[in-house]
Amino acid sequence: MLNAFSGLLVIGGIICIRKGLWKAHASFMISAVAVSLIFLISYTTYHAGHGMATRSYPQGPWRPWYLAILISHTILALLVVPMVISVLGLASYRRWTTHRHAGWITFPVWLYVSVTGVVVYLMLYGV
């Protein structure tokens, strides 16, 4: 749920900036970072105590799709953290042109990681 909520906040932030609502954009994006941080802390805390083993990986025709999504999600999840930190740093130093360019690269990666995190969970545990 935290991944999904973070993704929705990112989309809200993009909608706000496209409408020129800079303060609302900042609020959405800071909230997205906070929710993502809460997810990251809870995820690492849980797996530090329980290990990385899951109940069962999807088998059959879904397995290649699951692995492709999981691998791309994991790689991009590692990359998006420094990307988000960089974009936040650029905003804090008011380097708006560079912030805008870096943000447009970071946005689809962050959204992909949020969505595929939910997809991986649903593929593992179902609804």
Side-chain angles (χ1 to χ4, degrees):
M1 295 308 294
L2 290 170
N3 257 341
F5 189 47
S6 174
L8 291 173
L9 289 166
V10 169
I11 291 169
I14 294 303
I15 291 169
C16 288
I17 201 61
R18 285 188 173 176
K19 292 183 176 185
L21 304 170
W22 295 286
K23 288 184 180 181
H25 167 75
S27 295
F28 270 96
M29 300 314 285
I30 290 168
S31 297
V33 169
V35 170
S36 294
L37 187 58
I38 292 167
F39 169 77
L40 184 60
I41 291 168
S42 64
Y43 181 86
T44 54
T45 301
Y46 174 82
H47 286 291
H50 294 89
M52 292 302 292
T54 58
R55 290 191 301 187
S56 64
Y57 295 101
Q59 300 297 319
W62 290 107
R63 186 170 177 77
W65 289 101
Y66 168 77
L67 291 174
I69 293 168
L70 177 64
I71 290 166
S72 64
H73 168 80
T74 303
I75 291 168
L76 291 174
L78 292 170
L79 293 175
V80 79
V81 173
M83 292 170 76
V84 169
I85 292 169
S86 296
V87 171
L88 283 173
L90 291 167
S92 70
Y93 287 110
R94 300 181 183 277
R95 296 184 58 198
W96 302 122
T97 302
T98 311
H99 169 80
R100 184 176 67 244
H101 292 301
W104 283 116
I105 295 167
T106 303
F107 162 65
V109 177
W110 194 353
L111 190 59
Y112 180 84
V113 169
S114 294
V115 171
T116 56
V118 174
V119 170
V120 165
Y121 180 84
L122 291 175
M123 289 179 90
L124 278 176
Y125 300 104
V127 183

